[in-house]
Amino acid sequence: AQKVTQAQTEISVVEKEDVTLDCVYETRDTTYYLFWYKQPPSGELVFLIRRNSFDEQNEISGRYSWNFQKSTSSFNFTITASQVVDSAVYFCALSEPFYQKVTFGIGTKLQVIP
Amino acid sequence: SAVISQKPSRDICQRGTSLTIQCQVDSQVTMMFWYRQQPGQSLTLIATANQGSEATYESGFVIDKFPISRPNLTFSTLTVSNMSPEDSSIYLCSVEGADSGVIGTDTQYFGPGTRLTVL
């Protein structure tokens, strides 16, 4: 069965610090997809990134970067030089095409303090 | 990505009543999903709605409590029936993008959510 673990429930950092959000997943499938979503206080769920299981190339997008390692079943998310606007709940998610549904982690609440 | 709207954005309802939430997408999509997010919790899938067929419910959710309609490829409704305070949650609809055309492989995009409070 699919499982997504986000061990950090809440993180507080001071503005301009770097912060890494951890995500560990479990799957029996060889083909799967991983996602990160951001949910600001307004409640809307914003898509950040999607990776498939065949592409372990890490990605950088502005201040965001993602580290996907199949060997450890991890898909970690780093924000560089954090800003107050980064304060939100971040969800890691896993999709297995066979089950046609997405399983979400419990979320990590990030608070960036000015 | 699809543009998704939901109505109402929020509501406060009395115990025992029902509320119907609407989800509108700006493009035709095969599958639509309904999620519940209880306060401080993660998202839990309620059901998957395909046009022209009965919705598929996840364990713990039943049609009598959460009837779903899917009359066409751009619209769906979720009704929360006979509400109790435990139903107070954010309800979100989502659709899968069509990047690959293979169900279960594309990104799910979410509507803004409906914040429901049951007194």
Side-chain angles (χ1 to χ4, degrees), chain A residues 18-102:
Chain A
D18 298 347
V19 58
T20 295
L21 309 182
D22 298 333
C23 174
V24 175
Y25 61 91
E26 293 179 26
T27 176
R28 293 176 295 184
D29 234 329
T30 57
T31 301
Y32 53 90
Y33 297 81
L34 296 163
F35 306 86
W36 276 97
Y37 289 87
K38 174 183 179 181
Q39 187 176 42
S42 60
E44 186 169 354
L45 214 61
V46 179
F47 164 71
L48 296 176
I49 190 171
R50 164 179 172 261
R51 306 296 290 177
N52 71 55
S53 54
F54 300 108
D55 183 4
E56 286 191 74
Q57 185 173 7
N58 294 320
E59 184 165 334
I60 298 174
S61 176
R63 297 185 296 109
Y64 297 167
S65 62
W66 290 269
N67 184 359
F68 175 30
Q69 293 193 352
K70 289 180 72 172
S71 60
T72 56
S73 297
S74 65
F75 185 43
N76 297 336
F77 172 34
T78 297
I79 301 175
T80 303
S82 59
Q83 300 176 1
V84 173
V85 293
D86 296 326
S87 297
V89 179
Y90 291 84
F91 291 96
C92 180
L94 166 69
S95 173
E96 292 176 324
F98 179 80
Y99 296 103
Q100 296 186 3
K101 69 174 187 179
V102 179

Side-chain angles (χ1 to χ4, degrees), chain A residues 6 31 33 35 37 39-47 49-50 89 91 95-98 100-107, chain B residues 31 33 35 37 40-45 48 58 90 92 96 99-100 102-113 115:
Chain A
Q6 294 181 254
T31 301
Y33 297 81
F35 306 86
Y37 289 87
Q39 187 176 42
S42 60
E44 186 169 354
L45 214 61
V46 179
F47 164 71
I49 190 171
R50 164 179 172 261
V89 179
F91 291 96
S95 173
E96 292 176 324
F98 179 80
Q100 296 186 3
K101 69 174 187 179
V102 179
T103 298
F104 286 82
I106 197 169
Chain B
M31 297 175 76
F33 306 86
Y35 288 84
Q37 186 180 24
Q41 302 297 312
S42 186
L43 282 77
T44 301
L45 180 65
T48 302
E58 296 298 303
I90 299 175
L92 299 110
E96 191 169 293
D99 298 334
S100 72
V102 179
I103 293 173
T105 66
D106 292 310
T107 301
Q108 283 196 15
Y109 297 95
F110 288 80
R115 290 180 182 269

Side-chain angles (χ1 to χ4, degrees), chain B residues 78-94:
Chain B
L78 169 74
T79 298
V80 186
S81 303
N82 188 24
M83 289 184 284
S84 67
E86 292 71 35
D87 294 319
S88 297
S89 299
I90 299 175
Y91 292 86
L92 299 110
C93 73
S94 75

Side-chain angles (χ1 to χ4, degrees), chain B:
Chain B
S1 64
V3 176
I4 306 166
S5 59
Q6 283 185 237
K7 289 182 181 179
S9 58
R10 60 178 64 231
D11 207 341
I12 300 174
C13 300
Q14 295 297 320
R15 180 195 299 262
T17 62
S18 298
L19 176 72
T20 296
I21 302 168
Q22 300 179 7
C23 180
Q24 180 77 51
V25 189
D26 69 341
S27 57
Q28 294 184 340
V29 293
T30 303
M31 297 175 76
M32 296 180 76
F33 306 86
W34 286 99
Y35 288 84
R36 180 177 73 182
Q37 186 180 24
Q38 295 176 302
Q41 302 297 312
S42 186
L43 282 77
T44 301
L45 180 65
I46 298 172
T48 302
N50 287 339
Q51 191 268 334
S53 63
E54 292 288 326
T56 302
Y57 289 82
E58 296 298 303
S59 175
F61 297 96
V62 295
I63 188 172
D64 290 344
K65 175 67 175 177
F66 297 101
I68 288 171
S69 77
R70 183 79 201 275
N72 57 54
L73 291 173
T74 64
F75 187 78
S76 178
T77 67
L78 169 74
T79 298
V80 186
S81 303
N82 188 24
M83 289 184 284
S84 67
E86 292 71 35
D87 294 319
S88 297
S89 299
I90 299 175
Y91 292 86
L92 299 110
C93 73
S94 75
V95 303
E96 191 169 293
D99 298 334
S100 72
V102 179
I103 293 173
T105 66
D106 292 310
T107 301
Q108 283 196 15
Y109 297 95
F110 288 80
T114 296
R115 290 180 182 269
L116 171 61
T117 301
V118 184
L119 303 177

